[in-house]
Amino acid sequence: MSVLRLYNTLTRSKEDFVPIDPANVRMYVCGPTVYDFAHIGNARPIIVFDVLFRLLQLRFGKEHVTYVRNITDVDDKINARAAERGITIRELTEGTARVFHEDVAALGCLPPTVEPRATEHIVEMRDLIERLVARGIAYVAEDHVLFSPAKMDAAGGGLPRYGALANRSLDEMIAGARVDVAPYKRDATDFVLWKPSKPGEPSWPSPSGIVTEGRPGWHIECSAMSWQRLIKDFAGKIRCEAADANTFDIHGGGIDLVFPHHENEIAQTCCALETARMANVWMHNGFLQVEGEKMSKSLGNFITIHELLHDKTFGGRSWHGEVLRLAMLRTHYRQPIDFTLKALEEAEKTLDRWYALAAKAEGTDTPADSFLATLQDDLNTPAAVAELFSLFGSETTLAQAIASARLIGLLQLAPSEWAAAKQSWGNVDAATVEALIAARIAARASKNWAESDRIRDELVAMGVVLKDNKDGTTSWEVKR
Ligand code: AMP
Ligand code: ZN
C-alpha cells in the first residue's frame, strides 16, 4: 500500500505519517460544545476525521487505532442556554448530545473509540493545573488560575515556543491583544485555566491555593481528556522512545481552533508533562459557507444537520445523510467549502446511479489501489471521488468501486434500502407547496409583486414548476 501522507499545520508541510507505535495509533479531535444543535459546518470535521479514522483502521487494523472525540459539557454558553430555557444543565447537555449522536450516525460516521465528557475529567484538569503552578508557568490571582505564555518561553528546556502552531510571535500577540484586559492578568496574553463559579453555576473543588469552588477554562479540558485517554490509559502498552512517552499521533479540528485553542492546548500539555510535542501531526479542516456567504443566524442561512436531514428547510425538502457526505467530500478538507443546493442535487444524482449499479453487482472486493493512492495523499477526497466515477464506469471494476465507496462511508445501505429511503425524504410535500401557492396568490391580489416573485423563486428551488392559468388558478408539478 502506498504511504499515507498528511499535511501538518505545525510544520506547514505534507509529511509521511509514521505512528509512534503502529500497534496503538492514537488520534484526538475536538468535539462539540453541547448547548445547541450541530450545524452543517460542524459536520465537516466529523466527516473528514471519520474518513481518516476509516483509512487508519484499514492500514493499521481496527483494533490498533484509538479515536478520541470529546464532548464539552461545561461552558459559559451551556450555562446561559440552560438558564434561558429554564432547564437543568444536565437536561440540556444530555438532550443536545443525543441529537448530535443521531445526526452524525445519519451522516454515516462511525462512533469514536472513546467519547469523554469534560465533566468526567475535572481531576486530571486540576492535576495539570497544579503541575503548571508548581513549575511557575501558571499563577493564581483572584480565584483564577492563569497560564503565562511569557513564562513558558522563558522556561526553555526543550519546550515548544508559544505561537509555533499558529506561526505567530509572542510580541505580535502582545501588540494585537485587546486593551480591556482583565485586572487579574499580569500580561495581556495570559489565558484562563480555572475560574470561579458564580452562584448557581456548576462548580468543583479548585486547584490547591484556591478555597472557593470553581470551573475549568475551555482549553484545559482537551489537554486533560487527551492526556487521560491517549497517554495514561496506554501506560505500559506503548512501545516508543522515552521522548515520545507523552506524545500521541494526530490532533484535529477546524481551522478556527488553531489559535488560541490548539496553541493553548499545546502550551498546557507540553509544560505540565514536560514534553516537546503534545501530538506529532496537527490537522485542520477549512470552513464551510452557504451559497457564497458565511453561515450565520442573522443572515438566515444557518442550517443545522438535523434540519437538513429531517425538515424541508434547504431547497424545500430533506436530504439523506450520504448526500451531504458525498457533497462535502467533493472538496478537499483543507479548502473552504461552498455549500450549495446544486452540490447536494448533484451528489444525490450520483448516489442514485451508484446504488443502481451496486444493485447489479455480484460479489465483493477490496478498495482499488488507484483510489487508495488518492486518499492517502493527504485525504484527497475530490480526486478519490473522481476515481470512483471511473471505477463505476466499467463493469469489470464495479465490485472494487463499491468497496472503495464504502471505505469513505458511502453506499452503506443496501440498494433496496436506498430506494425505499428516497420515497420518504425526496418527495416535495404537497401541503407545503399548496400553502406557498396560496400565499403567492394573496401577494398578487394585494399587488405585492416582490413577495409573489420571492415565493415563485422559492418554489422553483424546490423543483416545483407553476402553471398560471388565465382564470387566476395555479396548477403545479415537480420537475427533477
Ligand atoms: P464549535 O461547536 O464552534 O466549537 O465547533 C465544533 C467543531 O466544528 C470545531 O472543530 C470547529 O472548528 C468546527 N466548525 C465550526 N464551524 C465550522 C464551519 N462553518 N465550517 C467548518 N468547520 C466548522
Ligand atoms: Zn480541543
Side-chain angles (χ1 to χ4, degrees), residues 30-33 39 41-42 44-45 253-257 285-288 295:
C30 297
T33 302
H39 58 66
N42 301 136
R44 194 168 190 202
I255 189 85
D256 59 319
L257 299 185
N285 64 270
F287 251 44
L288 172 145
M295 183 167 52

Side-chain angles (χ1 to χ4, degrees), residues 350-383:
T350 301
L351 286 169
D352 279 342
R353 215 186 111 234
W354 290 352
Y355 268 111
L357 289 167
K360 294 194 293 184
E362 279 167 34
T364 47
D365 209 327
T366 49
D369 286 342
S370 55
F371 173 83
L372 281 175
T374 57
L375 212 52
Q376 303 217 90
D377 177 17
D378 192 31
L379 305 183
N380 191 346
T381 56

Side-chain angles (χ1 to χ4, degrees), residues 30 222 261 265:
C30 297
C222 288
H261 186 54
E265 282 188 31

Side-chain angles (χ1 to χ4, degrees), residues 28-31 70 72 218-219 221-223 225 251-252 257 261-262 265 278:
Y28 186 94
V29 173
C30 297
N70 72 289
T72 293
W218 172 36
H219 314 305
E221 298 180 7
C222 288
S223 284
M225 288 184 271
H251 194 314
L257 299 185
H261 186 54
H262 289 167
E265 282 188 31
M278 177 183 185

